[in-house]
Each structure stands twice: as C-alpha cells, then as structure tokens.
Amino acid sequence: MKVRFLGTGTSTGVPQIGCRCEVCNSADPRDRRLRTSVRIEIDDKMLMIDCSPDFRQQMLPFPLEKIDGILLTHEHYDHVGGIDDLRPFSVFGPVDLYMEQRLEKALRERLPYCFAEYKYSGVPNLIVRRISADKDFQIGTVTVTPIRVMHYSLPILGFRIRNFAYLTDIKTMEETELKKLEDVDTLVVSALRKTEHISHQTLDQALKIIDKIKPKTAYLTHMSHEIGTHAKVEEELPSHVFLAYDGLEMSV
C-alpha cells in the first residue's frame, strides 16, 4: 500500500490568509499545508480519504486516472469542498463516494445538481455508496473498517485499511472503537494545535491517543499554523511520531 499526503492543514490552510506569524512566513515547504486529504494506492485500486477544496490543485501533479473510491469522513467543507472538481474523472465512469446517510443528506442539499436523477452535461458523475460505522465494506479486494470518532458532538468516521488507520478531526473516541485499531502498524491522527480546542485534539491529546493505540509509526495531520513550525515541533515528538507534510509519501 502506498499512501501520499495531499494536504495536512486545517480548514484555513497554512499560510492562513492575512497572517504574518512565524509559521505562515516560513520558507520551509513543509509548513505550507493544503486542506487535509490522502491518496492511497492498493491492490490496483486508487482510493482517497476526503475531497478537500484544494482537490484540483492536489491532483494536478498526477496523471488523470480512475478513482476507485473516495471515503468521506464528514460533511464539513474542508473535507468535501472538492466534490464538484471530480468532473474530469467521470471520463472513467461514475466515481463512488462512500459515506454515511447523514452525510449523504447534507451533500444532496448542498450540491443538488451533482446528485440529481437527470443531470445536465458537465457535472460530475457520482454514485453514493452508503456505509455505517458498525460494518466493514469492500472496494474490490480491499476491506475497509469504519471507526466512529467524535468531532465534539458530531459523530464522524475514521478508516482502517489493513495495517493503516486514518483519524482526522477527532476529539474523542470510545474504548470499543479503539479495539478496532489493535495491531495497526501506521496511524494517522489529527492534532490541530497545542492549546485546547472544543472540537479538535491538541498535540498532547493526539500523543495520548497514539500511546493508547500503540502503532509502530504515527503521523500527525490536520494542523493549523498555531501548532508551530514543522522543524521545531518534530524535535519535541517521540521517536516513532512524525509531522506529516504535503507530498509526503510512504509505503505501508
């Protein structure tokens, strides 16, 4: 399995418009963060988790090829704002979007022309594949396990694919869901900043979740400019924990 981070920033991205802080002014390319998403190549399938408003920019470096499935975590704009830009990928046929019923309802209200029974020419060709938090599902030979996490009071999904797990926008999770993550080798988990936030984990809270799950390697994502520069924060982390950055690619 090959995983590439397409974006590792929070909803405002980094640099944040109008900000002149150390992070937003950093010359280190690892401190420039598009909105959060990953691209996964596995068993001749190309999958994505979330479809950010920066989707078009994120996909320009790659050849145009079929997307075999997009796993959607929740309805916030920074995770679904790129759905309209799936238009070019419709040349390969419908793009399958895997989502919960609540998320489907929200997207149909927001983007009715993308989900209409009779679409006009040029809109993306999409198929909704409804999933639930308590049941694994298949994409070809690939088994995906949904993980229920809480984004403050909003129930959202993380995903496990074999020995890789991805949890974004998490604030809390139940012990029953932690069991789904036993023996994970590589964990990606969000860490917004160092100070408390109502709906996102702090860096310390992310490290505590990592300590509970005990992956061999962990990567932090969905970071704001308030977390600090990549170079400085990585010096503070345990040896098996790293800050992800846009363009980082790894084999799992």
Side-chain angles (χ1 to χ4, degrees):
M1 183 192 320
K2 184 186 294 183
V3 177
R4 183 181 178 93
F5 290 88
L6 302 177
T8 55
T10 188
S11 56
T12 59
V14 183
Q16 182 171 297
I17 292 172
C19 184
R20 297 292 181 267
C21 73
E22 178 187 20
V23 178
C24 291
N25 277 336
S26 171
D28 187 339
R30 297 173 300 178
D31 288 322
R32 304 188 72 84
R33 302 183 184 277
L34 300 175
R35 269 68 70 90
T36 299
S37 177
V38 292
R39 181 180 188 269
I40 300 169
E41 296 178 48
I42 180 172
D43 292 0
D44 297 321
K45 300 291 185 185
M46 197 273 273
L47 309 177
M48 291 182 56
I49 301 179
D50 285 336
C51 189
S52 88
D54 299 314
F55 172 82
R56 176 185 172 277
Q57 181 178 349
Q58 291 164 341
M59 298 306 289
L60 283 173
F62 299 100
L64 181 65
E65 59 183 332
K66 179 177 173 58
I67 298 175
D68 296 291
I70 300 180
L71 317 179
L72 296 176
T73 60
H74 65 296
E75 61 265 40
H76 288 168
Y77 181 76
D78 55 319
H79 296 266
V80 299
I83 285 176
D84 185 77
D85 286 323
L86 289 167
R87 299 178 187 205
F89 296 88
S90 298
V91 299
F92 302 105
V95 179
D96 290 342
L97 304 181
Y98 292 82
M99 67 183 81
E100 293 186 276
Q101 183 176 6
R102 184 201 70 254
L103 174 49
E104 178 185 356
K105 182 176 183 294
L107 290 182
R108 287 186 183 277
E109 290 174 352
R110 259 186 242 173
L111 298 165
Y113 62 94
C114 289
F115 299 95
E117 183 177 357
Y118 302 104
K119 301 181 181 75
Y120 59 82
S121 177
V123 302
N125 187 3
L126 309 173
I127 290 182
V128 174
R129 304 292 186 187
R130 193 178 294 174
I131 59 175
S132 61
D134 57 357
K135 187 176 181 180
D136 292 358
F137 59 94
Q138 296 288 135
I139 303 176
T141 61
V142 181
T143 301
V144 182
T145 300
I147 312 292
R148 170 66 75 215
V149 301
M150 297 301 296
H151 185 22
Y152 183 47
S153 60
L154 179 68
I156 68 173
L157 290 180
F159 299 100
R160 176 174 182 167
I161 302 174
R162 296 181 186 165
N163 287 324
F164 170 80
Y166 184 91
L167 309 176
T168 188
D169 286 44
I170 176 177
K171 182 63 177 179
T172 58
M173 65 186 303
E174 297 291 336
E175 291 293 328
T176 52
E177 297 302 295
L178 281 169
K179 292 179 180 178
K180 295 180 182 179
L181 296 166
E182 289 178 353
D183 301 319
V184 159
D185 286 340
T186 305
L187 174 69
V188 178
V189 65
S190 56
L192 184 72
R193 62 192 194 192
K194 293 181 177 179
T195 56
E196 184 64 28
H197 190 278
I198 190 170
S199 61
H200 290 275
Q201 288 184 141
T202 64
L203 175 58
D204 283 345
Q205 289 163 351
L207 292 175
K208 287 177 182 176
I209 285 284
I210 292 168
D211 192 51
K212 279 188 176 183
I213 296 171
K214 301 187 186 308
K216 292 179 181 177
T217 308
Y219 292 87
L220 303 177
T221 192
H222 206 287
M223 292 168 282
S224 80
H225 62 149
E226 295 175 80
I227 200 166
T229 64
H230 183 105
K232 289 181 180 178
V233 176
E234 271 220 329
E235 291 179 354
E236 306 167 5
L237 299 177
S239 60
H240 67 300
V241 181
F242 305 90
L243 292 191
Y245 57 87
D246 294 16
L248 173 63
E249 192 167 273
M250 59 188 180
S251 294
V252 180

